[in-house]
Amino acid sequence: MVNDIQSASQLDHRADPQRKAGVLGNCPDPRDLLAMSPKLDLDVLDRLHNCSILSAAQFDLPLMQELSKLAACLQLRKFPAGHALDDKIMAAAFFEPSTRTRLSFESAMLHVGGKTMSVADAKTTGVAKGESMRDIGQMFNSYADIVVVRHTQQQALQQLTEYMRVPLINGGNGSDEHPTQALADWYALMKWRPELAFGTLPEQFRLTIGIIGTPGNMRTVKSFLTLALLFHRNINHITIFSEMADPLGTELRALTNASPITIDFSRNLKQSLEYLDVIYMNAIAFLGDGYRFFGDEFSLSSQSQLKTDTVILHPLARGDELGTCLDDTDHNLYFNQADGAVWLRQALLLAIFGRVRNIVPRELIK
Amino acid sequence: MVNDIQSASQLDHRADPQRKAGVLGNCPDPRDLLAMSPKLDLDVLDRLHNCSILSAAQFDLPLMQELSKLAACLQLRKFPAGHALDDKIMAAAFFEPSTRTRLSFESAMLHVGGKTMSVADAKTTGVAKGESMRDIGQMFNSYADIVVVRHTQQQALQQLTEYMRVPLINGGNGSDEHPTQALADWYALMKWRPELAFGTLPEQFRLTIGIIGTPGNMRTVKSFLTLALLFHRNINHITIFSEMADPLGTELRALTNASPITIDFSRNLKQSLEYLDVIYMNAIAFLGDGYRFFGDEFSLSSQSQLKTDTVILHPLARGDELGTCLDDTDHNLYFNQADGAVWLRQALLLAIFGRVRNIVPRELIK
Amino acid sequence: MVNDIQSASQLDHRADPQRKAGVLGNCPDPRDLLAMSPKLDLDVLDRLHNCSILSAAQFDLPLMQELSKLAACLQLRKFPAGHALDDKIMAAAFFEPSTRTRLSFESAMLHVGGKTMSVADAKTTGVAKGESMRDIGQMFNSYADIVVVRHTQQQALQQLTEYMRVPLINGGNGSDEHPTQALADWYALMKWRPELAFGTLPEQFRLTIGIIGTPGNMRTVKSFLTLALLFHRNINHITIFSEMADPLGTELRALTNASPITIDFSRNLKQSLEYLDVIYMNAIAFLGDGYRFFGDEFSLSSQSQLKTDTVILHPLARGDELGTCLDDTDHNLYFNQADGAVWLRQALLLAIFGRVRNIVPRELIK
């Protein structure tokens, strides 16, 4: 590395100034979202007080609106929040390893003054000695004020809550759900098209969404679809791209059948690109007891015939299905999603701890 | 999970309200302990200032009394302690993985304002590159103000202290000792029967304790028994249930021979249940170079013919030897033990750092 | 352990009082360094503001002087710095396990009030799922204000920075560089001989340095040698002890050829001991895809015929090449190096965050 450095004045090796200015790709302004509805309805956020977050199905449109507005306020630093949770401890219990989700939650908690303790790997725990999930849950009551859990097994969270007295947040449980990931997905989309949540788009502007993945057994996809149904006033159509015979499964089919949004299925992504406004993709399917990468035919690159204003969401980490050649384009909303997730999670933590009223100035309260 | 959620108003998925109110099982009131002796003798606690905690044998009855009273004050939030150790850093060095003990110490440190850094797994350390314990000990002097260590090897702690200038707390060393676990065990027992520490029980109310395990080579059992001997005024008898020919070993036998408490040995737990007031059990024996679960004949369940007021202690994690059917009963003091451990460890940290005088109001000082 | 403890009054088990007083071995006084140049030139430190630290080649002599002086001020607690980075978050991303460097950085950050989040092991990350370094880099922008990275691969850091907007510090990248380790090495040497940086030694007192290791493919050795060249006014000669045919490699040879310091090579350490003032050693060579211990013939012990005032530096962890019999002698500057590293890293963090002006009182500013 020595030869790369020419002089002491050339100390700054970071990426070019343009990239430094903001998030790479499409970077919508949180102010646009607040412009639609500038004041926070704290009664709505109070519904999250002391609640565990297990499923995307716990959220309705007003809750999505107010959470996203609070996240936007935090992202814009409209009021100080750096000491709001000074007396609170979050345990991040990741029985399945994950960098992104764990660090995103830890960062959120640290940003609002909270303290963190972590289990980064099940192999470093007494679980290796055969401890049951419900005994572990009981333990967290004594140690932390809130617990974020990721686990390979869907049923682990239910077992964990059996004894718990403090709120729990599902950070991904097997093939079931990943609700805060979906909240962050929709926070990005609401900043991108604020009318989605706060208005009614004229018929011709209502969105068509493509979901690449199998909602029935991919947790981020399931949670994303569940929230999508809340926006039925402004979404006309959802196409699900999957190799599976039954991508929805019984549970989600009941939910989608009850929705005014028309949903269809396809295996031909290429043919559909001309009409998709939003493409949600996910590289990784949890099948049985392990992960595998999703099919090649469902990949996107700068060669793909995307509409000019199509945006792509991806929970990351990515595989070959999402070309890095798209990173510099306005199609890339996935980096913005990751960036916004930290602010959305701060909003969620503040609401669960009932501390929103302590930090929001009166003139911003509805 | 979607189908489980009926409406946004039903957001709270945590266990039933009864469980939320307090710890499951027997939950004695810390106020009963303080009622026996309301004021703290800080001169006694000063004896811990700047001390390493390696063995339960470092403690005498006055120290047990004052530590437990301080823990009770903290648990009852009788005075603010949340910033007492703001300028202190604790390193949790767990060369043998453990969730409970590590998080319990981290939680204790965070509760009193301290900062934490962790080694959760020896495999993530330079130890993998062959580093010696005494060099590691020297290193911690520079990084932390106190170090909590767990290690598979009994002699590791002695090597570690060879160069250390900051206090060290034994968080479990091989088959040797786990002194803070035993402090928490006795904190639970002292809340349950405050007379144990502060009075003299009439002959007929003195306790009979059953210890399932092999004190000679099980660290929690050894530390528990060592502290038990301090309460000889109110303990008549201890029965040790073990498969081993010599459950005590030379060292502990000398100690128990010098005690007025009569100690005997048995392999028949069932027969003894009718006279045991306290049963201490442990699932896991460290034998040679690994752990194994202790014998089946020493298990307890709701089928066991326990006396009405018998309490069970278990350091957890548990195996099959302790039935979950006992969790909801008053026999269960093990959850209370785990819950109190965080407060006892706060008391210990405050005493070691000599910060008790900074937080205890004058009217609570003897 | 029970029998070792005789009474409750004997609670303090730590090493003897002499060792408690300070660092074992040679422990130069930071005041000697400040005596040479008592006031800080903040314009020089400002050059580090918002900079990534990738290579030792980024530093020149004035920067070394001011960083070391700031570190000395912090070590002497000349002004409060405990809240200087209260609003900052550091991510320690150790894709290659390391206790020393990770905890040293975490400790530095905690000492100046900052917050930390850690990846202690690549196996606990999404990297295991195939995530690319540049996506990981992008992610850290959202989570942290600065990232310290260690990686087994030299090129990982360059990939990581591709998207990064926050500063990055190289905590060791494969066989390439470990710049902050070298900064700490030279901080120790500058305290030991303040004239090295701030004066011109008479000819007969100029130093001869022995480097045991292969600068071309050992990261700490490379970074140490790179900084050594900055002190050419006071270093006459460097001998490199290595088994390799070409210990420097092309890149470093160009650098050393341009230096007035004469450099030679030897395989006979024993013969050279009589003229070496400083010996830098390192146990561990990264060769290809793994580590191996360096040759036996390059070991030091109390049997070695060292000059009376020779000092030894070693980045630790050590192997058999450095006898513990030297720990108690004045030759041992390696423990002081490890101790000073925490203060040097605090100075570096404060400079990168542009917070030095906030904490240094006017009378200490040049």
Side-chain angles (χ1 to χ4, degrees):
Chain A
M1 198 165 275
V2 169
N3 274 344
D4 303 344
I5 321 293
Q6 300 309 319
S7 77
S9 65
Q10 215 187 351
L11 279 168
D12 194 329
H13 299 275
R14 289 168 298 143
D16 61 79
Q18 193 194 330
R19 283 185 178 165
K20 271 181 242 179
V23 170
L24 201 66
N26 199 319
C27 190
D29 192 331
R31 277 171 295 197
D32 295 344
L33 191 149
L34 288 174
M36 302 293 288
S37 171
K39 296 197 175 194
L40 292 164
D41 186 338
L42 301 197
D43 291 339
V44 170
L45 289 172
D46 279 346
R47 286 161 41 201
L48 291 171
H49 190 188
N50 266 333
C51 283
S52 290
I53 305 299
L54 299 184
S55 163
Q58 291 175 246
F59 294 86
D60 57 16
L61 191 59
L63 211 38
M64 296 291 294
Q65 291 171 330
E66 300 309 315
L67 257 190
S68 294
K69 282 158 57 186
L70 178 55
C73 288
L74 293 165
Q75 187 164 4
L76 294 164
R77 279 119 173 137
K78 287 186 92 72
F79 39 78
H83 293 284
L85 300 183
D86 265 1
D87 57 337
K88 297 297 182 188
I89 299 173
M90 181 188 88
F94 279 65
F95 300 106
E96 173 191 319
S98 162
T99 316
R100 295 189 162 268
T101 306
R102 178 171 67 83
L103 294 188
S104 176
F105 268 111
E106 287 183 19
S107 178
M109 189 64 178
L110 294 174
H111 269 93
V112 288
K115 292 157 184 180
T116 60
M117 52 172 66
S118 296
V119 176
D121 187 359
K123 284 188 286 297
T124 67
T125 72
V127 177
K129 299 183 197 153
E131 191 158 15
S132 79
M133 289 313 289
R134 71 178 210 157
D135 278 11
I136 289 172
Q138 199 280 337
M139 167 184 80
F140 281 121
N141 294 322
S142 310
Y143 298 169
D145 301 297
I146 194 164
V147 186
V148 180
V149 181
R150 170 166 294 193
H151 204 282
T152 50
Q153 305 284 318
Q154 173 172 348
Q155 58 279 26
L157 262 79
Q158 206 56 53
Q159 293 164 7
L160 203 59
T161 50
E162 211 167 319
Y163 282 160
M164 288 195 66
R165 301 187 307 274
V166 302
L168 176 143
I169 299 178
N170 181 355
N173 62 326
S175 58
D176 185 32
E177 288 237 31
H178 194 350
T180 64
Q181 172 73 38
L183 292 175
D185 292 332
W186 283 98
Y187 175 49
L189 287 172
M190 286 159 79
K191 282 183 286 183
W192 170 69
R193 285 281 186 277
E195 303 83 2
L196 257 177
F198 297 99
T200 303
L201 292 165
E203 180 72 32
Q204 72 272 30
F205 293 117
R206 293 190 191 152
L207 300 180
T208 298
I209 296 182
I211 294 178
I212 305 174
T214 308
N217 67 6
M218 292 169 78
R219 62 189 175 207
T220 65
V221 187
K222 178 178 183 181
S223 295
F224 177 82
L225 175 60
T226 303
L227 291 189
L229 301 179
L230 299 177
F231 297 86
H232 56 79
R233 276 191 304 175
N234 294 307
I235 298 175
N236 269 342
H237 193 91
I238 296 175
T239 302
I240 292 166
F241 300 91
S242 168
E243 295 163 321
M244 312 289 278
D246 177 14
L248 288 177
T250 323
E251 194 187 358
L252 275 173
R253 198 161 44 237
L255 214 63
T256 52
N257 283 345
S259 168
I261 301 176
T262 61
I263 295 185
D264 64 9
F265 305 91
S266 165
R267 297 186 189 196
N268 195 331
L269 176 62
K270 209 174 259 184
Q271 207 171 45
S272 310
L273 290 176
E274 60 183 288
Y275 66 82
L276 296 176
D277 302 297
V278 175
I279 302 173
Y280 180 92
M281 23 178 13
N282 189 355
I284 302 163
F286 189 87
L287 291 170
D289 57 352
Y291 291 92
R292 71 173 186 88
F293 276 92
F294 213 67
D296 275 350
E297 68 265 52
F298 298 135
S299 66
L300 292 179
S301 73
S302 55
Q303 305 306 313
S304 306
Q305 306 283 318
L306 296 163
K307 288 203 311 165
T308 322
D309 59 352
T310 299
V311 290
I312 303 166
L313 283 171
H314 191 300
L316 305 173
R318 65 175 144 194
D320 293 335
E321 78 287 348
L322 177 59
T324 56
C325 45
L326 286 163
D327 293 354
D328 267 313
T329 72
D330 270 352
H331 300 303
N332 167 8
L333 197 62
Y334 38 89
F335 280 176
N336 183 261
Q337 186 281 351
D339 194 61
V342 176
W343 304 101
L344 193 284
R345 286 183 172 120
Q346 287 174 57
L348 188 65
L349 290 167
L350 290 167
I352 292 173
F353 281 117
R355 293 280 168 90
V356 182
R357 284 177 202 282
N358 305 22
I359 54 166
V360 177
R362 186 173 304 178
E363 68 270 18
L364 287 178
I365 300 179
K366 192 175 278 178
Chain B
M1 198 164 277
V2 169
N3 274 345
D4 303 343
I5 320 292
Q6 300 308 321
S7 77
S9 65
Q10 215 187 351
L11 280 167
D12 195 329
H13 299 275
R14 290 167 299 144
D16 61 79
Q18 194 193 329
R19 282 183 178 166
K20 272 182 240 176
V23 170
L24 201 66
N26 199 321
C27 191
D29 193 330
R31 277 170 294 198
D32 296 343
L33 192 148
L34 288 173
M36 301 293 288
S37 170
K39 297 197 174 194
L40 292 165
D41 186 337
L42 301 196
D43 292 337
V44 169
L45 288 172
D46 280 345
R47 286 161 41 201
L48 291 171
H49 190 190
N50 266 332
C51 283
S52 291
I53 306 299
L54 299 184
S55 163
Q58 291 174 247
F59 294 85
D60 58 14
L61 190 61
L63 212 38
M64 295 293 293
Q65 291 171 331
E66 300 309 315
L67 257 188
S68 294
K69 281 158 57 185
L70 178 55
C73 287
L74 294 164
Q75 187 164 4
L76 294 165
R77 279 118 173 140
K78 287 186 93 71
F79 39 78
H83 294 284
L85 300 183
D86 265 1
D87 57 337
K88 297 296 181 188
I89 300 173
M90 182 189 88
F94 279 65
F95 299 106
E96 173 191 318
S98 163
T99 315
R100 294 189 161 267
T101 307
R102 177 170 68 82
L103 293 188
S104 176
F105 268 110
E106 288 183 19
S107 178
M109 189 65 177
L110 295 174
H111 269 94
V112 287
K115 293 157 183 179
T116 60
M117 52 172 64
S118 296
V119 176
D121 187 358
K123 283 187 288 297
T124 68
T125 72
V127 177
K129 299 182 196 152
E131 191 158 14
S132 78
M133 288 315 288
R134 72 178 209 159
D135 278 11
I136 288 172
Q138 199 280 337
M139 167 184 80
F140 281 121
N141 293 322
S142 310
Y143 298 169
D145 301 297
I146 194 165
V147 186
V148 180
V149 181
R150 169 167 294 193
H151 204 282
T152 50
Q153 305 284 317
Q154 173 171 347
Q155 59 278 28
L157 262 81
Q158 206 55 54
Q159 293 163 8
L160 202 59
T161 50
E162 211 167 319
Y163 281 160
M164 288 195 66
R165 301 187 306 277
V166 302
L168 177 144
I169 299 178
N170 181 354
N173 61 327
S175 58
D176 184 33
E177 287 236 30
H178 193 350
T180 63
Q181 173 72 38
L183 292 175
D185 291 332
W186 282 96
Y187 175 49
L189 287 172
M190 285 159 80
K191 283 184 286 183
W192 170 69
R193 285 280 186 277
E195 302 82 3
L196 257 177
F198 298 98
T200 302
L201 291 166
E203 179 72 30
Q204 72 271 31
F205 294 117
R206 294 188 191 154
L207 300 180
T208 297
I209 295 182
I211 294 179
I212 305 174
T214 308
N217 66 6
M218 292 170 79
R219 62 190 175 206
T220 64
V221 188
K222 178 177 184 181
S223 296
F224 178 83
L225 175 59
T226 303
L227 291 189
L229 301 179
L230 299 178
F231 297 85
H232 55 78
R233 277 190 303 174
N234 294 307
I235 299 175
N236 269 342
H237 193 91
I238 296 175
T239 302
I240 292 166
F241 300 91
S242 168
E243 294 163 320
M244 311 290 278
D246 177 15
L248 287 178
T250 324
E251 194 187 1
L252 275 173
R253 198 161 44 238
L255 213 64
T256 52
N257 282 346
S259 168
I261 302 175
T262 61
I263 295 185
D264 64 9
F265 306 91
S266 165
R267 299 189 186 191
N268 195 331
L269 176 63
K270 208 174 259 187
Q271 207 172 42
S272 311
L273 289 176
E274 61 183 290
Y275 66 82
L276 297 176
D277 302 297
V278 175
I279 301 173
Y280 180 91
M281 29 181 4
N282 189 354
I284 302 162
F286 189 88
L287 290 171
D289 57 352
Y291 291 90
R292 73 173 185 83
F293 277 90
F294 213 68
D296 275 351
E297 68 265 51
F298 298 134
S299 65
L300 292 179
S301 74
S302 55
Q303 305 306 311
S304 307
Q305 305 283 318
L306 296 162
K307 288 203 311 168
T308 321
D309 59 352
T310 298
V311 291
I312 304 165
L313 283 171
H314 191 300
L316 304 174
R318 65 176 143 192
D320 293 336
E321 79 287 350
L322 176 60
T324 55
C325 46
L326 286 163
D327 293 355
D328 267 314
T329 72
D330 270 353
H331 300 302
N332 167 7
L333 196 61
Y334 40 89
F335 281 176
N336 183 261
Q337 186 281 352
D339 194 60
V342 175
W343 304 101
L344 192 284
R345 286 181 171 122
Q346 289 174 55
L348 188 65
L349 289 167
L350 290 167
I352 292 174
F353 281 117
R355 292 280 169 90
V356 182
R357 281 177 204 281
N358 305 23
I359 55 167
V360 177
R362 186 172 303 177
E363 67 270 19
L364 287 177
I365 300 179
K366 192 175 277 179
Chain C
M1 199 166 275
V2 168
N3 274 344
D4 303 344
I5 321 292
Q6 300 308 320
S7 78
S9 65
Q10 214 188 352
L11 279 168
D12 195 329
H13 299 274
R14 289 169 298 145
D16 61 79
Q18 194 194 330
R19 282 184 178 165
K20 272 182 240 176
V23 170
L24 201 65
N26 199 320
C27 190
D29 192 330
R31 278 172 293 197
D32 295 345
L33 192 148
L34 289 174
M36 302 293 287
S37 169
K39 295 197 174 194
L40 292 165
D41 186 337
L42 301 197
D43 291 338
V44 170
L45 289 172
D46 278 347
R47 286 161 42 201
L48 291 171
H49 191 189
N50 266 333
C51 283
S52 290
I53 306 298
L54 298 184
S55 163
Q58 291 175 246
F59 294 85
D60 58 15
L61 191 59
L63 211 38
M64 296 291 293
Q65 291 170 330
E66 300 309 315
L67 258 189
S68 294
K69 281 158 57 185
L70 178 55
C73 287
L74 293 165
Q75 188 164 4
L76 294 165
R77 277 118 173 139
K78 287 186 91 73
F79 39 79
H83 294 285
L85 300 183
D86 264 0
D87 57 337
K88 298 296 181 187
I89 299 173
M90 182 188 89
F94 279 66
F95 300 105
E96 173 191 320
S98 163
T99 316
R100 294 190 162 267
T101 306
R102 178 170 69 83
L103 293 188
S104 177
F105 268 110
E106 288 183 19
S107 178
M109 189 66 177
L110 294 174
H111 269 93
V112 288
K115 293 157 183 179
T116 60
M117 52 172 65
S118 296
V119 177
D121 187 357
K123 284 188 288 296
T124 67
T125 72
V127 178
K129 299 183 197 153
E131 190 157 17
S132 78
M133 289 314 290
R134 71 177 209 158
D135 279 11
I136 289 172
Q138 200 280 337
M139 167 184 80
F140 281 121
N141 294 321
S142 310
Y143 298 168
D145 301 297
I146 195 165
V147 186
V148 180
V149 180
R150 168 166 295 192
H151 204 282
T152 50
Q153 305 284 317
Q154 174 171 347
Q155 58 278 28
L157 262 79
Q158 206 56 53
Q159 294 163 8
L160 202 59
T161 51
E162 211 167 319
Y163 282 159
M164 288 195 66
R165 301 188 307 275
V166 303
L168 177 143
I169 298 178
N170 181 355
N173 62 326
S175 58
D176 184 32
E177 288 236 32
H178 194 349
T180 63
Q181 172 73 38
L183 291 175
D185 292 331
W186 283 97
Y187 176 49
L189 287 173
M190 286 159 79
K191 282 184 286 183
W192 170 69
R193 285 280 186 276
E195 303 82 3
L196 257 177
F198 297 98
T200 302
L201 292 165
E203 180 71 31
Q204 71 272 30
F205 293 118
R206 293 190 190 152
L207 300 180
T208 297
I209 295 182
I211 293 179
I212 305 174
T214 308
N217 66 6
M218 291 169 80
R219 62 191 175 206
T220 63
V221 187
K222 179 178 182 181
S223 295
F224 177 83
L225 175 59
T226 302
L227 291 188
L229 301 179
L230 299 178
F231 296 86
H232 56 79
R233 276 190 305 175
N234 295 308
I235 298 174
N236 269 342
H237 192 91
I238 295 175
T239 303
I240 292 166
F241 300 90
S242 169
E243 295 163 320
M244 312 290 278
D246 176 16
L248 287 178
T250 324
E251 194 186 0
L252 274 173
R253 198 160 45 237
L255 213 64
T256 52
N257 283 346
S259 167
I261 303 174
T262 60
I263 295 186
D264 63 9
F265 305 91
S266 165
R267 298 188 188 194
N268 194 331
L269 177 63
K270 208 175 260 186
Q271 207 172 42
S272 310
L273 290 177
E274 60 184 289
Y275 67 82
L276 296 177
D277 302 298
V278 175
I279 301 173
Y280 180 91
M281 23 180 12
N282 190 354
I284 302 162
F286 190 87
L287 290 170
D289 58 351
Y291 292 92
R292 73 174 185 86
F293 277 91
F294 213 68
D296 274 350
E297 68 265 52
F298 299 134
S299 66
L300 291 179
S301 74
S302 55
Q303 305 306 311
S304 306
Q305 305 284 317
L306 297 162
K307 289 204 309 166
T308 321
D309 59 351
T310 298
V311 290
I312 302 165
L313 283 171
H314 190 299
L316 305 174
R318 65 176 143 192
D320 294 335
E321 78 287 349
L322 176 60
T324 56
C325 46
L326 286 163
D327 292 355
D328 266 313
T329 73
D330 270 352
H331 301 302
N332 167 8
L333 197 62
Y334 40 88
F335 280 176
N336 183 261
Q337 187 281 353
D339 194 61
V342 176
W343 303 101
L344 192 283
R345 286 181 171 121
Q346 288 174 56
L348 189 66
L349 290 167
L350 290 166
I352 292 173
F353 281 117
R355 292 280 168 90
V356 182
R357 283 178 202 281
N358 305 23
I359 54 167
V360 178
R362 186 172 304 178
E363 68 270 18
L364 286 178
I365 299 179
K366 192 174 277 178

